[in-house]
Amino acid sequence: MTELHDLTALEQGELIRRCEVSPAELAEHYLDRIDRLDIGSDHPLGAFVTLAQEHISTCARELAIRPVGADPLWGVPTAIKDLNPTKGVRTMFGSAAFADFVPETSDNIALSIEAAGMISLGKTNTPEFGSPCYTEPDVAPPAVTPWDRRHIAGGSSGGAAAAVAAGLVPVAHGSDGGGSIRIPASCCGLVGLKPTRGRISSGPMYGDPVGLSTSGSLARTVRDAAAFLDVLAGRRTGDPFWAPEPTETFLEACDRVPGQLRIARFVEPVIADAAVHPECMEAYEGASRLLEDLGHVIEDVPVPLPREAVPVFETCWAVLTALSVTPLPPERRDLIRPLTRWLTERGEAVSGPEFGLAIGQMRRFAAGALQALAPYDAVLTPTLATPPPLVGQLRDDADPSRDFEAQKRFTPWTSAWNVTGMPAVSLPLHWSASGLPVGVMLAARPGEEELLLSLAAQVEAAAPWGDRRPPGW
């Protein structure tokens, strides 16, 4: 028998429009699953860190007396990453230094979700300040992939990915400054969509002056990811970056035939000398064959970013980490993790002029990559260099520099598209012999999410993954 969580987010929205289920009933269904499979379980997924009970009740009451909205996800439950302030809901930023912080205002992500009539069930797990590519904070259990709970869900949107992959919410918000949506999507067998720089407002805090990070979607299907992007997208007055308005909704773009595309591909790691696991190579080559079978032209190209860009990116990354920590009083700074402390010390050692020069240099590297890739409609790479590692395998509190290098070897492609600002999506096209998901990544020119989603939907139709379910579903 089909249960509510078996349905896509869009199918659940359609049930609400037909008055076959209410938003409150959907929320209760998922809250029960969260209690049984995560927060109340002896073997939690590490998906949720805070349930917003009062917020859920208020939203459900308000929706019950309002006409059903036009948004296709109206009334559908979701969740917000623990890096994004939500008024009245504890937001810890993955850190013990903020374990009791309750914001007085919401950011634009939470406001957009509420305006669309969706109900956020709470905050999903993230590592401290969203920095590492694994989700193992001091304030919550590690986020694990539902496909094998010994292995990581990835990061920094690991809790969001674990929640969607385990059927605790149908779609979830994530954010991505170096791969933090696409990494957990690959680890959890999901669609992970990082949009163009400026597609989604980062206000009112605008905490990333470099422009690496953006919010985006984690979903089981391309259409669900596109519909959630429609909810999140849109510029706000004062935004420092913005993308051109789409010609139609992103959901409608999924029904567009992309035509024959010229697709570049490369497999050489960008930011580290990493060995590429055979399963990841198999996924990459399989995706290449599939795209050729769909009529697209595949061309091998050199890596578009030089290795000299890596230390420049690391300078900016360290400064961004320091920006999260520097305002803390000394007694709170003692609560941060070794990796965060190491990155903060690196960031605080960078002078203002050095930081400015690094941003300018990174812009020039990005421009060079965009020029090299301009002739191509899309770019194909693996998402990750290995299937999801075991919990704790990347983390090294005794030597944060080794921890950081291990993360780079695991994720040697994802940050390239944060540097360029290009939209990128990880698609779950492969599973390893041991049953672990392995994603492949497609990127497109800045502002061309419609083309990217059209292509991703075509790929999904040709090699559907929607019938795959992790153990315990």
Side-chain angles (χ1 to χ4, degrees), residues 90-181:
R90 185 181 63 170
T91 304
M92 297 185 288
F93 308 106
S95 176
F98 286 91
D100 54 0
F101 177 63
V102 179
E104 296 181 358
T105 59
S106 293
D107 73 354
N108 287 340
I109 292 299
L111 294 175
S112 294
I113 287 171
E114 291 175 8
M118 300 184 75
I119 299 177
S120 173
L121 302 185
K123 310 309 285 287
T124 54
N125 200 3
T126 187
E128 191 165 62
F129 306 124
S131 179
C133 66
Y134 54 81
T135 303
E136 300 174 23
D138 291 343
V139 294
V144 296
T145 177
W147 297 92
D148 185 335
R149 295 189 185 201
R150 297 172 300 171
H151 295 261
I152 68 171
S156 63
S157 304
V164 176
L168 307 185
V169 286
V171 65
H173 158 260
S175 59
D176 190 317
S180 289
I181 289 172

Side-chain angles (χ1 to χ4, degrees), residues 196-211:
T196 294
R197 178 182 295 135
R199 176 65 68 194
I200 297 172
S201 174
S202 60
M205 295 305 295
Y206 303 114
D208 174 9
V210 183

Side-chain angles (χ1 to χ4, degrees), residues 418-432:
N418 299 88
V419 171
T420 63
M422 295 161 62
V425 63
S426 181
L427 300 177
L429 280 175
H430 183 76
W431 267 257
S432 73

Side-chain angles (χ1 to χ4, degrees), residues 338-363:
L339 176 67
T340 308
R341 184 174 297 109
W342 178 77
L343 281 168
T344 296
E345 290 170 354
R346 286 186 64 178
E348 291 179 337
V350 177
S351 70
E354 288 171 335
F355 183 42
L357 289 170
I359 294 174
Q361 185 63 50
M362 196 162 65
R363 294 275 190 271

